[in-house]
Amino acid sequence: MINVTKTFFPPLEDYQKQTQRVWDNQWLTNNGELYKELSLKLKSYLGVNHIIPMTNGTLPIQIALNAYANQGEVITTPFSYVATTASIVWEKCTPVFVDIDPDHLTIDETKIEAAITDKTTCILATHVYGNPCHLEAIEAIAKKHDLKVIYDAAHCFGVTYKGTSIFNYGDVSTCSFHATKLFHTGEGGALFCQDETTRQEMWYRHNFGHDGPEKYHGLGMNAKMSELQAAMGLSVLPYMAHILAERKRVCSFYDQHLDWTKLSKFKLRADTTWNYAYYPVIFPSEVDLLSAKDKLEAHQIFPRRYFYPSLEDLPYINSKTCPIAQTYAKRILCLPLYVDLKKTELNLIIKQLNS
Ligand SMILES: *Cc1c(COP(=O)(O)O)cnc(C)c1O
């Protein structure tokens, strides 16, 4: 069976070496030694200003919205994973969907201003597939209208834009370290921000608002990463060069061998170093996509419709439709992409798609 992705497992000895430290320390969570080491290593590997690793990639979005959105209207993209919209609704805010740019598949920055009202508090946009939004335009709009910018950068581990980490943009950026993502801690994620004041605010929120054992800075919840998660992160991180090289190999193979007369790809934003997070192909129609998917599934190959349905169609959303997101959501299929995906398997996938 070939799935769309396969979790990278570091050698068990590597993980045992890290968990041995946890046993030696007799310390499982709350700012432990491994957590602190992973924070520092990620900060330096990614070249970011501030990082707070957390227990998953959804809580940092909720925490940022909790800090900034004030239960107002949040301008967002319909083309993302459900966590983006669900976090907005969970925080008792109203998602306002702005359609996507058909080339880059990120939120269409030219349509944002028309969606701003006096209730708008934030922009929550996704760098979908690791492809950056139009950062400069969004920053200018946010400045002009005094809005906060949160980037759901769940797909962006290792992505750089204009020579610096993509996580160094926006008031807050978030990433997911889920098992299906590029770098993982089993479950996990992180919040990134640009200054110490913001880091403090977010740190309090992710640890019940504690300012010492008996004093509370404000409202908080629990989003702390445990030592066992950090142990996995420390075991996976040394393999990032290998993981990236393998993913690049698979992407290049698809690039070279797929028949591009009917299929197409999204356009990568200029000045971006990409991380090969996903391999989405765009079909001419949903009928074509479904027939290709059937053919692949008959050979035990399971691509995924990331991201379908378009998020304004969620059962708890009442929004006007976004026609461009609708048409792309119906026509995009993500092909299998992971370390050790064999050439024979790739050839089988390509044969089905090209026929
Ligand atoms: C994976 C993902 C998330 C959620 O991350 P978790 O770590 O699974 O909570 C959020 N947004 C996007 C775009 C994602 O792909």
Side-chain angles (χ1 to χ4, degrees):
M1 191 168 78
I2 304 173
N3 277 322
V4 67
T5 190
K6 193 166 132 191
T7 299
F8 175 79
F9 277 81
L12 186 56
E13 309 86 77
D14 292 18
Y15 187 61
Q16 281 166 338
K17 216 175 88 198
Q18 297 297 340
T19 49
Q20 185 63 53
R21 297 172 62 200
V22 179
W23 260 251
D24 292 345
N25 291 338
Q26 292 285 294
W27 189 279
L28 269 175
T29 189
N30 285 13
N31 214 14
E33 181 187 319
L34 279 76
Y35 174 86
K36 285 193 261 191
E37 183 177 321
L38 181 65
S39 303
L40 284 175
K41 286 198 162 148
L42 287 174
K43 194 173 165 187
S44 120
Y45 177 86
L46 297 165
V48 290
N49 298 318
H50 294 279
I51 175 172
I52 308 177
M54 294 194 190
T55 196
N56 63 47
T58 304
L59 285 165
I61 304 175
Q62 287 177 218
I63 284 173
L65 286 169
N66 190 270
Y68 294 145
N70 200 21
Q71 303 196 354
E73 290 178 4
V74 177
I75 289 179
T76 192
T77 174
F79 193 63
S80 181
Y81 183 56
V82 65
T84 317
T85 299
S87 297
I88 296 172
V89 177
W90 197 263
E91 288 301 320
K92 304 277 187 279
C93 304
T94 308
V96 175
F97 293 97
V98 167
D99 212 343
I100 57 171
D101 153 7
D103 295 328
H104 301 93
L105 307 179
T106 47
I107 193 167
D108 186 341
E109 63 280 356
T110 66
K111 294 180 179 158
I112 292 178
E113 275 200 289
I116 296 174
T117 72
D118 55 7
K119 295 200 191 84
T120 310
T121 50
C122 288
I123 299 170
L124 169 57
T126 302
H127 304 307
V128 71
Y129 307 128
N131 194 22
C133 298
H134 196 309
L135 297 150
E136 291 87 356
I138 292 174
E139 190 181 324
I141 294 165
K143 214 170 189 173
K144 182 170 161 198
H145 296 271
D146 195 22
L147 304 174
K148 293 286 188 183
V149 179
I150 304 165
Y151 285 117
D152 180 342
H155 306 160
C156 293
F157 194 90
V159 170
T160 66
Y161 177 72
K162 293 196 170 160
T164 180
S165 170
I166 191 81
F167 301 135
N168 290 338
Y169 292 87
D171 292 286
V172 161
S173 288
T174 67
C175 191
S176 167
F177 303 158
H178 184 259
T180 56
K181 303 292 203 298
L182 212 64
F183 165 82
H184 76 89
T185 57
E187 291 276 359
L191 181 148
F192 302 88
C193 58
Q194 318 319 333
D195 58 76
E196 176 56 25
T197 316
T198 311
R199 194 198 71 83
Q200 267 299 331
E201 281 298 323
M202 300 299 161
W203 178 274
Y204 286 131
R205 277 182 169 77
H206 106 298
N207 183 25
F208 301 107
H210 269 297
D211 182 11
E214 294 170 4
K215 194 170 150 228
Y216 294 93
H217 173 81
L219 181 67
M221 49 116 74
N222 180 6
K224 286 170 285 146
M225 176 182 276
S226 82
E227 287 294 88
L228 294 174
Q229 290 175 290
M232 181 58 89
L234 288 170
S235 310
V236 173
L237 192 58
Y239 293 92
M240 279 320 295
H242 172 63
I243 292 170
L244 286 165
E246 277 288 284
R247 299 181 78 99
K248 184 176 178 183
R249 171 185 66 83
V250 173
C251 290
S252 308
F253 201 85
Y254 283 133
D255 283 350
Q256 278 169 34
H257 295 98
L258 281 173
D259 176 358
W260 295 104
T261 50
K262 287 197 181 129
L263 301 174
S264 59
K265 297 204 296 176
F266 73 84
K267 188 172 165 197
L268 189 66
R269 184 86 51 194
D271 301 316
T272 302
T273 312
W274 192 46
N275 63 356
Y276 313 96
Y278 294 86
Y279 200 90
V281 287
I282 307 168
F283 287 80
S285 73
E286 188 175 23
V287 174
D288 292 318
L289 176 146
L290 292 173
S291 107
K293 187 165 171 273
D294 283 349
K295 269 190 191 169
L296 291 167
E297 286 176 358
H299 288 83
Q300 297 297 301
I301 299 161
F302 299 96
R304 278 288 292 270
R305 298 184 76 180
Y306 290 143
F307 293 93
Y308 177 85
S310 187
L311 295 171
E312 81 272 25
D313 286 348
L314 286 167
Y316 46 85
I317 297 295
N318 189 359
S319 159
K320 66 176 183 348
T321 61
C322 300
I324 298 171
Q326 288 282 332
T327 163
Y328 281 89
K330 287 190 176 95
R331 295 188 289 121
I332 291 194
L333 195 61
C334 281
L335 302 185
L337 170 55
Y338 49 83
V339 174
D340 290 339
L341 187 58
K342 292 185 190 64
K343 209 166 156 183
T344 50
E345 296 170 323
L346 282 167
N347 278 323
L348 179 62
I349 296 166
I350 285 159
K351 192 174 146 206
Q352 297 312 311
L353 284 169
N354 286 351
S355 69

